[in-house]
Short mmCIF file of all heavy atoms in Angstrom, two decimals:
data_model
loop_
_atom_site.label_atom_id
_atom_site.label_comp_id
_atom_site.label_asym_id
_atom_site.label_seq_id
_atom_site.Cartn_x
_atom_site.Cartn_y
_atom_site.Cartn_z
N MET A 261 6.29 -12.64 -3.27
CA MET A 261 4.90 -12.52 -3.21
C MET A 261 4.38 -13.25 -1.98
O MET A 261 3.36 -12.83 -1.37
CB MET A 261 4.26 -13.01 -4.52
CG MET A 261 4.55 -12.05 -5.65
SD MET A 261 3.54 -12.22 -7.10
CE MET A 261 3.64 -13.87 -7.53
N GLU A 262 5.08 -14.24 -1.61
CA GLU A 262 4.61 -15.03 -0.42
C GLU A 262 4.73 -14.12 0.86
O GLU A 262 3.81 -14.14 1.67
CB GLU A 262 5.50 -16.23 -0.19
CG GLU A 262 5.25 -17.07 1.04
CD GLU A 262 3.93 -17.82 0.99
OE1 GLU A 262 3.43 -18.09 -0.17
OE2 GLU A 262 3.47 -18.25 2.03
N ILE A 263 5.79 -13.38 0.96
CA ILE A 263 5.97 -12.52 2.12
C ILE A 263 4.95 -11.41 2.18
O ILE A 263 4.40 -11.05 3.23
CB ILE A 263 7.42 -11.93 2.29
CG1 ILE A 263 7.61 -11.43 3.69
CG2 ILE A 263 7.64 -10.89 1.19
CD1 ILE A 263 9.09 -11.11 4.00
N ASN A 264 4.55 -10.91 0.98
CA ASN A 264 3.46 -9.95 0.93
C ASN A 264 2.16 -10.51 1.37
O ASN A 264 1.34 -9.85 2.06
CB ASN A 264 3.37 -9.32 -0.48
CG ASN A 264 4.57 -8.49 -0.86
OD1 ASN A 264 5.27 -8.06 0.02
ND2 ASN A 264 4.77 -8.31 -2.10
N ALA A 265 1.82 -11.70 0.94
CA ALA A 265 0.62 -12.38 1.32
C ALA A 265 0.55 -12.56 2.86
O ALA A 265 -0.45 -12.38 3.46
CB ALA A 265 0.47 -13.70 0.57
N LEU A 266 1.71 -13.04 3.40
CA LEU A 266 1.74 -13.20 4.86
C LEU A 266 1.58 -11.90 5.64
O LEU A 266 0.89 -11.85 6.64
CB LEU A 266 3.04 -13.87 5.21
CG LEU A 266 3.24 -15.32 4.77
CD1 LEU A 266 4.64 -15.80 5.05
CD2 LEU A 266 2.25 -16.19 5.52
N ALA A 267 2.15 -10.87 5.09
CA ALA A 267 2.00 -9.51 5.73
C ALA A 267 0.58 -9.06 5.72
O ALA A 267 0.07 -8.55 6.69
CB ALA A 267 2.95 -8.49 5.09
N ARG A 268 -0.05 -9.26 4.54
CA ARG A 268 -1.49 -8.86 4.51
C ARG A 268 -2.32 -9.71 5.51
O ARG A 268 -3.26 -9.19 6.12
CB ARG A 268 -2.00 -9.07 3.09
CG ARG A 268 -1.64 -7.96 2.15
CD ARG A 268 -2.40 -8.09 0.85
NE ARG A 268 -2.27 -9.37 0.16
CZ ARG A 268 -1.30 -9.67 -0.70
NH1 ARG A 268 -0.41 -8.79 -0.98
NH2 ARG A 268 -1.29 -10.84 -1.26
N GLY A 269 -2.00 -10.94 5.66
CA GLY A 269 -2.73 -11.81 6.57
C GLY A 269 -2.50 -11.52 8.04
O GLY A 269 -3.45 -11.73 8.84
N TYR A 270 -1.27 -11.23 8.38
CA TYR A 270 -0.94 -11.02 9.79
C TYR A 270 -0.76 -9.61 10.32
O TYR A 270 -1.01 -9.26 11.45
CB TYR A 270 0.26 -11.83 10.14
CG TYR A 270 0.07 -13.30 10.01
CD1 TYR A 270 0.57 -14.02 8.95
CD2 TYR A 270 -0.69 -13.96 10.98
CE1 TYR A 270 0.41 -15.40 8.82
CE2 TYR A 270 -0.92 -15.42 10.88
CZ TYR A 270 -0.38 -16.03 9.75
OH TYR A 270 -0.54 -17.34 9.64
N LEU A 271 -0.17 -8.74 9.41
CA LEU A 271 0.23 -7.39 9.83
C LEU A 271 -0.80 -6.34 9.57
O LEU A 271 -1.10 -5.56 10.44
CB LEU A 271 1.54 -7.04 9.20
CG LEU A 271 2.79 -7.87 9.54
CD1 LEU A 271 3.98 -7.49 8.80
CD2 LEU A 271 3.00 -7.90 11.00
N ILE A 272 -1.29 -6.28 8.35
CA ILE A 272 -2.07 -5.08 7.93
C ILE A 272 -3.53 -5.42 7.80
O ILE A 272 -4.30 -4.56 7.25
CB ILE A 272 -1.53 -4.42 6.66
CG1 ILE A 272 -1.51 -5.44 5.52
CG2 ILE A 272 -0.10 -3.87 6.93
CD1 ILE A 272 -1.08 -4.82 4.21
N ASN A 273 -4.04 -6.57 8.12
CA ASN A 273 -5.40 -6.85 8.13
C ASN A 273 -6.17 -6.12 9.19
O ASN A 273 -5.60 -5.62 10.14
CB ASN A 273 -5.65 -8.36 8.20
CG ASN A 273 -5.25 -8.93 9.53
OD1 ASN A 273 -4.35 -8.40 10.17
ND2 ASN A 273 -5.84 -10.01 9.93
N ALA A 274 -7.45 -6.04 9.04
CA ALA A 274 -8.24 -5.40 10.09
C ALA A 274 -8.05 -6.10 11.47
O ALA A 274 -8.10 -7.34 11.43
CB ALA A 274 -9.76 -5.41 9.75
N ASP A 275 -7.73 -5.37 12.45
CA ASP A 275 -7.47 -5.90 13.81
C ASP A 275 -6.13 -6.69 13.86
O ASP A 275 -5.90 -7.50 14.67
CB ASP A 275 -8.60 -6.77 14.33
CG ASP A 275 -8.63 -6.76 15.83
OD1 ASP A 275 -8.22 -5.77 16.46
OD2 ASP A 275 -9.12 -7.77 16.38
N GLY A 276 -5.23 -6.43 12.84
CA GLY A 276 -3.94 -7.06 12.84
C GLY A 276 -2.96 -6.38 13.73
O GLY A 276 -3.29 -5.45 14.45
N ILE A 277 -1.71 -6.81 13.64
CA ILE A 277 -0.61 -6.37 14.57
C ILE A 277 -0.45 -4.82 14.34
O ILE A 277 -0.32 -4.04 15.33
CB ILE A 277 0.65 -7.12 14.29
CG1 ILE A 277 0.48 -8.57 14.75
CG2 ILE A 277 1.86 -6.44 15.09
CD1 ILE A 277 1.60 -9.45 14.36
N ILE A 278 -0.32 -4.35 13.13
CA ILE A 278 -0.11 -2.93 12.87
C ILE A 278 -1.23 -2.11 13.37
O ILE A 278 -1.02 -1.09 14.07
CB ILE A 278 0.18 -2.67 11.34
CG1 ILE A 278 1.35 -3.45 10.84
CG2 ILE A 278 0.26 -1.18 11.04
CD1 ILE A 278 2.69 -3.00 11.43
N GLU A 279 -2.45 -2.52 13.13
CA GLU A 279 -3.58 -1.74 13.59
C GLU A 279 -3.68 -1.74 15.13
O GLU A 279 -3.99 -0.66 15.70
CB GLU A 279 -4.91 -2.34 12.98
CG GLU A 279 -6.10 -1.44 13.29
CD GLU A 279 -7.33 -1.84 12.48
OE1 GLU A 279 -7.38 -1.49 11.29
OE2 GLU A 279 -8.16 -2.51 13.02
N GLN A 280 -3.37 -2.82 15.75
CA GLN A 280 -3.42 -2.90 17.18
C GLN A 280 -2.38 -2.03 17.85
O GLN A 280 -2.53 -1.45 18.86
CB GLN A 280 -3.27 -4.32 17.66
CG GLN A 280 -4.43 -5.22 17.37
CD GLN A 280 -4.20 -6.67 17.71
OE1 GLN A 280 -3.17 -7.01 18.38
NE2 GLN A 280 -5.00 -7.55 17.30
N THR A 281 -1.19 -1.95 17.19
CA THR A 281 -0.02 -1.32 17.78
C THR A 281 -0.03 0.21 17.48
O THR A 281 0.31 1.07 18.34
CB THR A 281 1.25 -1.90 17.25
OG1 THR A 281 1.24 -3.27 17.46
CG2 THR A 281 2.47 -1.29 17.90
N PHE A 282 -0.29 0.59 16.23
CA PHE A 282 -0.12 1.96 15.87
C PHE A 282 -1.34 2.84 15.56
O PHE A 282 -1.21 4.04 15.39
CB PHE A 282 0.76 2.01 14.55
CG PHE A 282 2.16 1.41 14.75
CD1 PHE A 282 2.44 0.21 14.16
CD2 PHE A 282 3.11 2.10 15.46
CE1 PHE A 282 3.68 -0.36 14.38
CE2 PHE A 282 4.34 1.53 15.64
CZ PHE A 282 4.63 0.32 15.07
N SER A 283 -2.43 2.23 15.46
CA SER A 283 -3.63 2.93 15.04
C SER A 283 -4.50 3.31 16.28
O SER A 283 -4.51 2.69 17.31
CB SER A 283 -4.45 2.05 14.09
OG SER A 283 -3.68 1.78 12.97
N PRO A 284 -5.25 4.35 16.09
CA PRO A 284 -6.04 4.87 17.22
C PRO A 284 -7.26 3.99 17.48
O PRO A 284 -7.89 4.14 18.54
CB PRO A 284 -6.47 6.26 16.76
CG PRO A 284 -6.42 6.20 15.26
CD PRO A 284 -5.32 5.25 14.93
N GLY A 285 -7.65 3.15 16.53
CA GLY A 285 -8.83 2.31 16.84
C GLY A 285 -9.09 1.24 15.79
O GLY A 285 -8.41 1.27 14.75
N LYS A 286 -10.03 0.42 16.03
CA LYS A 286 -10.39 -0.62 15.15
C LYS A 286 -10.89 -0.10 13.82
O LYS A 286 -11.55 0.92 13.81
CB LYS A 286 -11.49 -1.49 15.80
CG LYS A 286 -11.75 -2.78 15.01
CD LYS A 286 -12.76 -3.67 15.84
CE LYS A 286 -12.96 -5.01 15.18
NZ LYS A 286 -13.77 -5.90 15.90
N TYR A 287 -10.47 -0.69 12.73
CA TYR A 287 -10.82 -0.33 11.38
C TYR A 287 -10.22 1.01 10.86
O TYR A 287 -10.65 1.50 9.82
CB TYR A 287 -12.33 -0.32 11.16
CG TYR A 287 -12.98 -1.66 11.54
CD1 TYR A 287 -13.86 -1.77 12.61
CD2 TYR A 287 -12.74 -2.80 10.76
CE1 TYR A 287 -14.40 -2.99 12.94
CE2 TYR A 287 -13.30 -4.03 11.10
CZ TYR A 287 -14.14 -4.09 12.19
OH TYR A 287 -14.69 -5.32 12.48
N SER A 288 -9.28 1.56 11.58
CA SER A 288 -8.72 2.80 11.18
C SER A 288 -7.91 2.60 9.87
O SER A 288 -7.85 3.49 9.01
CB SER A 288 -7.80 3.43 12.26
OG SER A 288 -6.79 2.54 12.57
N LEU A 289 -7.24 1.44 9.72
CA LEU A 289 -6.53 1.20 8.48
C LEU A 289 -7.49 1.08 7.31
O LEU A 289 -7.19 1.50 6.23
CB LEU A 289 -5.64 -0.13 8.58
CG LEU A 289 -4.41 -0.06 9.36
CD1 LEU A 289 -3.65 -1.37 9.35
CD2 LEU A 289 -3.52 1.07 8.79
N GLU A 290 -8.63 0.45 7.51
CA GLU A 290 -9.65 0.39 6.48
C GLU A 290 -10.11 1.77 6.06
O GLU A 290 -10.24 2.08 4.86
CB GLU A 290 -10.85 -0.43 6.98
CG GLU A 290 -11.88 -0.67 5.84
CD GLU A 290 -12.99 -1.55 6.30
OE1 GLU A 290 -12.87 -2.17 7.42
OE2 GLU A 290 -14.00 -1.63 5.61
N LEU A 291 -10.30 2.65 7.01
CA LEU A 291 -10.76 4.03 6.68
C LEU A 291 -9.67 4.78 5.94
O LEU A 291 -9.93 5.48 5.00
CB LEU A 291 -11.07 4.83 8.02
CG LEU A 291 -12.29 4.35 8.75
CD1 LEU A 291 -12.43 5.00 10.07
CD2 LEU A 291 -13.50 4.50 7.93
N CYS A 292 -8.36 4.51 6.32
CA CYS A 292 -7.24 5.14 5.60
C CYS A 292 -7.17 4.67 4.19
O CYS A 292 -6.86 5.38 3.26
CB CYS A 292 -5.92 4.86 6.30
SG CYS A 292 -5.78 5.70 7.88
N SER A 293 -7.38 3.39 4.02
CA SER A 293 -7.34 2.79 2.66
C SER A 293 -8.44 3.36 1.76
O SER A 293 -8.27 3.56 0.57
CB SER A 293 -7.41 1.26 2.71
OG SER A 293 -8.67 0.80 3.07
N VAL A 294 -9.62 3.65 2.30
CA VAL A 294 -10.68 4.30 1.56
C VAL A 294 -10.25 5.66 1.13
O VAL A 294 -10.41 6.03 -0.04
CB VAL A 294 -11.98 4.30 2.32
CG1 VAL A 294 -13.04 5.10 1.65
CG2 VAL A 294 -12.53 2.85 2.52
N ALA A 295 -9.72 6.44 2.02
CA ALA A 295 -9.27 7.81 1.70
C ALA A 295 -8.12 7.75 0.68
O ALA A 295 -8.09 8.50 -0.27
CB ALA A 295 -8.84 8.50 2.96
N TYR A 296 -7.16 6.87 0.90
CA TYR A 296 -6.05 6.68 -0.04
C TYR A 296 -6.56 6.21 -1.39
O TYR A 296 -6.02 6.68 -2.38
CB TYR A 296 -5.05 5.74 0.58
CG TYR A 296 -3.77 5.60 -0.21
CD1 TYR A 296 -2.83 6.63 -0.31
CD2 TYR A 296 -3.47 4.43 -0.87
CE1 TYR A 296 -1.67 6.52 -1.00
CE2 TYR A 296 -2.31 4.26 -1.59
CZ TYR A 296 -1.42 5.29 -1.66
OH TYR A 296 -0.27 5.17 -2.43
N GLY A 297 -7.56 5.38 -1.37
CA GLY A 297 -8.10 4.82 -2.64
C GLY A 297 -8.60 5.93 -3.55
O GLY A 297 -8.72 5.74 -4.76
N LYS A 298 -9.00 7.05 -3.03
CA LYS A 298 -9.51 8.12 -3.85
C LYS A 298 -8.38 8.89 -4.58
O LYS A 298 -8.59 9.54 -5.51
CB LYS A 298 -10.28 9.11 -3.00
CG LYS A 298 -11.61 8.49 -2.42
CD LYS A 298 -12.34 9.43 -1.58
CE LYS A 298 -13.56 8.69 -1.05
NZ LYS A 298 -14.57 9.57 -0.42
N LEU A 299 -7.13 8.73 -4.07
CA LEU A 299 -5.98 9.35 -4.64
C LEU A 299 -5.13 8.47 -5.52
O LEU A 299 -4.47 8.92 -6.45
CB LEU A 299 -5.11 9.98 -3.57
CG LEU A 299 -5.77 11.00 -2.60
CD1 LEU A 299 -4.82 11.32 -1.48
CD2 LEU A 299 -6.17 12.23 -3.38
N TRP A 300 -5.11 7.21 -5.22
CA TRP A 300 -4.25 6.22 -5.84
C TRP A 300 -4.90 5.72 -7.07
O TRP A 300 -6.01 5.34 -7.13
CB TRP A 300 -3.95 5.07 -4.86
CG TRP A 300 -2.85 4.20 -5.29
CD1 TRP A 300 -1.57 4.35 -4.94
CD2 TRP A 300 -2.90 2.96 -6.05
NE1 TRP A 300 -0.79 3.37 -5.48
CE2 TRP A 300 -1.55 2.47 -6.17
CE3 TRP A 300 -3.92 2.24 -6.66
CZ2 TRP A 300 -1.28 1.31 -6.82
CZ3 TRP A 300 -3.65 1.13 -7.32
CH2 TRP A 300 -2.32 0.68 -7.39
N ARG A 301 -4.04 5.66 -8.24
CA ARG A 301 -4.55 5.19 -9.49
C ARG A 301 -3.70 4.04 -9.93
O ARG A 301 -2.47 4.14 -10.03
CB ARG A 301 -4.48 6.30 -10.48
CG ARG A 301 -5.46 7.41 -10.27
CD ARG A 301 -5.41 8.44 -11.34
NE ARG A 301 -5.14 7.91 -12.64
CZ ARG A 301 -4.91 8.62 -13.73
NH1 ARG A 301 -4.97 9.95 -13.61
NH2 ARG A 301 -4.63 8.07 -14.88
N PHE A 302 -4.31 2.91 -10.23
CA PHE A 302 -3.57 1.73 -10.64
C PHE A 302 -2.80 1.93 -11.92
O PHE A 302 -1.69 1.44 -12.08
CB PHE A 302 -4.53 0.54 -10.73
CG PHE A 302 -3.82 -0.82 -11.07
CD1 PHE A 302 -3.26 -1.44 -9.96
CD2 PHE A 302 -3.73 -1.29 -12.32
CE1 PHE A 302 -2.55 -2.60 -10.20
CE2 PHE A 302 -3.12 -2.50 -12.51
CZ PHE A 302 -2.46 -3.15 -11.53
N ASP A 303 -3.38 2.65 -12.82
CA ASP A 303 -2.68 2.84 -14.12
C ASP A 303 -1.38 3.60 -14.03
O ASP A 303 -0.47 3.50 -14.84
CB ASP A 303 -3.62 3.51 -15.16
CG ASP A 303 -4.05 4.84 -14.80
OD1 ASP A 303 -4.13 5.14 -13.55
OD2 ASP A 303 -4.48 5.64 -15.66
N THR A 304 -1.25 4.47 -12.99
CA THR A 304 0.00 5.22 -12.87
C THR A 304 0.82 4.82 -11.72
O THR A 304 2.04 5.02 -11.70
CB THR A 304 -0.29 6.76 -12.71
OG1 THR A 304 -1.18 6.98 -11.58
CG2 THR A 304 -0.99 7.33 -13.98
N GLU A 305 0.25 4.23 -10.66
CA GLU A 305 0.94 3.83 -9.45
C GLU A 305 1.34 2.41 -9.45
O GLU A 305 2.25 1.97 -8.76
CB GLU A 305 0.17 4.20 -8.21
CG GLU A 305 -0.23 5.67 -8.11
CD GLU A 305 0.97 6.56 -7.85
OE1 GLU A 305 2.01 6.11 -7.31
OE2 GLU A 305 0.86 7.72 -8.22
N GLY A 306 0.61 1.52 -10.16
CA GLY A 306 0.88 0.09 -10.19
C GLY A 306 2.08 -0.19 -11.10
O GLY A 306 2.57 0.67 -11.85
N LEU A 307 2.53 -1.44 -11.01
CA LEU A 307 3.60 -1.93 -11.89
C LEU A 307 3.04 -2.14 -13.29
O LEU A 307 1.88 -2.56 -13.43
CB LEU A 307 4.20 -3.19 -11.32
CG LEU A 307 4.87 -3.15 -10.02
CD1 LEU A 307 5.33 -4.47 -9.58
CD2 LEU A 307 6.08 -2.20 -10.05
N PRO A 308 3.82 -1.93 -14.34
CA PRO A 308 5.20 -1.41 -14.41
C PRO A 308 5.32 0.13 -14.45
O PRO A 308 6.38 0.66 -14.43
CB PRO A 308 5.76 -1.98 -15.73
CG PRO A 308 4.58 -2.02 -16.57
CD PRO A 308 3.39 -2.35 -15.67
N ALA A 309 4.16 0.80 -14.52
CA ALA A 309 4.18 2.27 -14.72
C ALA A 309 4.95 2.95 -13.55
O ALA A 309 5.66 3.90 -13.78
CB ALA A 309 2.77 2.83 -14.82
N ASP A 310 4.78 2.47 -12.38
CA ASP A 310 5.53 3.08 -11.22
C ASP A 310 7.00 2.92 -11.30
O ASP A 310 7.77 3.86 -11.08
CB ASP A 310 5.04 2.43 -9.93
CG ASP A 310 5.66 3.07 -8.67
OD1 ASP A 310 5.73 4.30 -8.58
OD2 ASP A 310 6.13 2.34 -7.86
N LEU A 311 7.45 1.76 -11.74
CA LEU A 311 8.88 1.54 -11.90
C LEU A 311 9.47 2.38 -13.04
O LEU A 311 10.56 2.97 -12.89
CB LEU A 311 9.18 0.05 -12.17
CG LEU A 311 8.81 -0.89 -11.03
CD1 LEU A 311 9.09 -2.27 -11.45
CD2 LEU A 311 9.63 -0.59 -9.80
N ILE A 312 8.73 2.55 -14.10
CA ILE A 312 9.23 3.36 -15.24
C ILE A 312 9.31 4.82 -14.78
O ILE A 312 10.27 5.50 -15.06
CB ILE A 312 8.26 3.20 -16.43
CG1 ILE A 312 8.38 1.80 -16.99
CG2 ILE A 312 8.50 4.24 -17.52
CD1 ILE A 312 7.25 1.43 -18.04
N ARG A 313 8.29 5.29 -14.05
CA ARG A 313 8.29 6.65 -13.55
C ARG A 313 9.49 6.90 -12.60
O ARG A 313 10.17 7.92 -12.71
CB ARG A 313 7.00 7.00 -12.84
CG ARG A 313 6.91 8.43 -12.30
CD ARG A 313 5.63 8.73 -11.56
NE ARG A 313 5.21 7.68 -10.60
CZ ARG A 313 5.76 7.61 -9.37
NH1 ARG A 313 6.66 8.44 -8.94
NH2 ARG A 313 5.36 6.69 -8.53
N ARG A 314 9.74 5.96 -11.74
CA ARG A 314 10.89 6.05 -10.84
C ARG A 314 12.21 6.13 -11.65
O ARG A 314 13.09 6.90 -11.32
CB ARG A 314 10.92 4.95 -9.84
CG ARG A 314 9.79 5.00 -8.85
CD ARG A 314 9.93 3.84 -7.88
NE ARG A 314 8.75 3.57 -7.17
CZ ARG A 314 8.74 2.90 -6.06
NH1 ARG A 314 9.84 2.33 -5.58
NH2 ARG A 314 7.57 2.69 -5.40
N TYR A 315 12.34 5.26 -12.64
CA TYR A 315 13.54 5.18 -13.40
C TYR A 315 13.79 6.50 -14.14
O TYR A 315 14.90 7.05 -14.14
CB TYR A 315 13.49 4.05 -14.41
CG TYR A 315 14.66 3.94 -15.33
CD1 TYR A 315 15.85 3.50 -14.86
CD2 TYR A 315 14.54 4.37 -16.65
CE1 TYR A 315 16.98 3.41 -15.72
CE2 TYR A 315 15.60 4.31 -17.51
CZ TYR A 315 16.84 3.82 -17.06
OH TYR A 315 17.91 3.81 -17.92
N LEU A 316 12.71 7.00 -14.69
CA LEU A 316 12.83 8.30 -15.51
C LEU A 316 13.13 9.42 -14.54
O LEU A 316 13.93 10.39 -14.94
CB LEU A 316 11.62 8.55 -16.29
CG LEU A 316 11.32 7.60 -17.43
CD1 LEU A 316 9.94 7.88 -18.00
CD2 LEU A 316 12.43 7.58 -18.43
N THR A 317 12.65 9.41 -13.36
CA THR A 317 12.91 10.49 -12.37
C THR A 317 14.36 10.42 -11.91
O THR A 317 15.04 11.50 -11.75
CB THR A 317 12.02 10.25 -11.12
OG1 THR A 317 10.66 10.28 -11.56
CG2 THR A 317 12.24 11.33 -10.11
N LEU A 318 14.97 9.27 -11.86
CA LEU A 318 16.40 9.19 -11.48
C LEU A 318 17.29 9.68 -12.58
O LEU A 318 18.41 10.13 -12.29
CB LEU A 318 16.72 7.69 -11.10
CG LEU A 318 16.13 7.17 -9.84
CD1 LEU A 318 16.47 5.66 -9.69
CD2 LEU A 318 16.68 7.89 -8.63
N GLU A 319 16.88 9.54 -13.74
CA GLU A 319 17.76 9.92 -14.91
C GLU A 319 17.88 11.41 -15.01
O GLU A 319 18.97 11.93 -15.45
CB GLU A 319 17.18 9.38 -16.22
CG GLU A 319 17.38 7.96 -16.47
CD GLU A 319 16.91 7.61 -17.95
OE1 GLU A 319 16.08 8.35 -18.49
OE2 GLU A 319 17.43 6.55 -18.37
N HIS A 320 16.89 12.21 -14.54
CA HIS A 320 16.93 13.63 -14.73
C HIS A 320 17.31 14.37 -13.54
O HIS A 320 17.18 14.46 -12.54
CB HIS A 320 15.55 14.11 -15.38
CG HIS A 320 15.28 13.48 -16.69
ND1 HIS A 320 14.65 12.29 -16.82
CD2 HIS A 320 15.65 13.83 -17.91
CE1 HIS A 320 14.54 12.02 -18.13
NE2 HIS A 320 15.19 12.96 -18.81
#
């Protein structure tokens, strides 16, 4: 969890390394997260539901 917190602070924050390197402009990651937020559901994509779904997918 520590490494995830550091990544959020340095890599994927607004105007962070990832945004400066790979994105077309300032706040583009924020815009992507808003668009992605309309599709992503915590009850099915978050833990543990996501792990259970992956496990069941591998079984069949």
Side-chain angles (χ1 to χ4, degrees):
M261 291 199 304
E262 176 74 18
I263 196 167
N264 290 341
L266 291 171
R268 283 191 304 273
Y270 294 106
L271 299 177
I272 60 173
N273 63 333
D275 207 29
I277 295 170
I278 299 296
E279 189 168 280
Q280 291 174 10
T281 306
F282 298 107
S283 299
K286 190 172 184 176
Y287 302 114
S288 61
L289 285 181
E290 184 178 349
L291 294 172
C292 290
S293 70
V294 170
Y296 185 69
K298 295 180 181 193
L299 302 172
W300 194 88
R301 292 181 35 186
F302 186 78
D303 61 334
T304 58
E305 302 293 333
L307 295 176
D310 182 49
L311 295 177
I312 293 169
R313 181 181 48 80
R314 291 181 196 198
Y315 176 75
L316 294 175
T317 302
L318 290 175
E319 283 187 339
H320 297 91

